[in-house]
Amino acid sequence: MSPTAKLGEVMSCPVEVATPDQKLAEIDALFAIESGLPVVDGEGRCIGVISKKDKARASNGLDSTIGEVMSSPAVTLTLEKTVLEAAALMLKHKFHRIPVVNEQQQVIG
């Protein structure tokens, strides 16, 4: 993959997402294949990210809501950004994922 490739060319889609009112139990099985999920509001806008690390901090275990333990605000990128820009941001923040959003901040990849 070229460092100059645009995220729109290489991103995964569709994307599994979570909502802040969901219980961790509802998405727990996804952590077997995903390291984290974008958290979206009612309009699909990215408001945070829920990760395995966030799950481990949940004081009420799987009964905790995603909104209680998610990392927020979300760090996102647009599909015009490059793989190099995404990699630099991931290294800087020690992230394993960065949601790709459209102009309305809705998760698209």
Side-chain angles (χ1 to χ4, degrees), residues 19-66:
T19 59
D21 58 328
Q22 282 182 289
K23 300 277 188 186
L24 280 174
E26 294 177 58
I27 64 159
D28 188 49
L30 293 172
F31 284 123
I33 53 172
E34 303 284 349
S35 60
L37 301 171
V39 181
V40 298
D41 66 11
E43 277 90 54
R45 292 182 302 240
C46 192
I47 58 171
V49 174
I50 182 75
S51 68
K52 290 179 181 180
K53 187 185 285 188
D54 296 325
K55 176 187 155 192
R57 292 191 331 243
S59 57
N60 293 322
L62 295 179
D63 285 332
S64 298
T65 66
I66 291 169

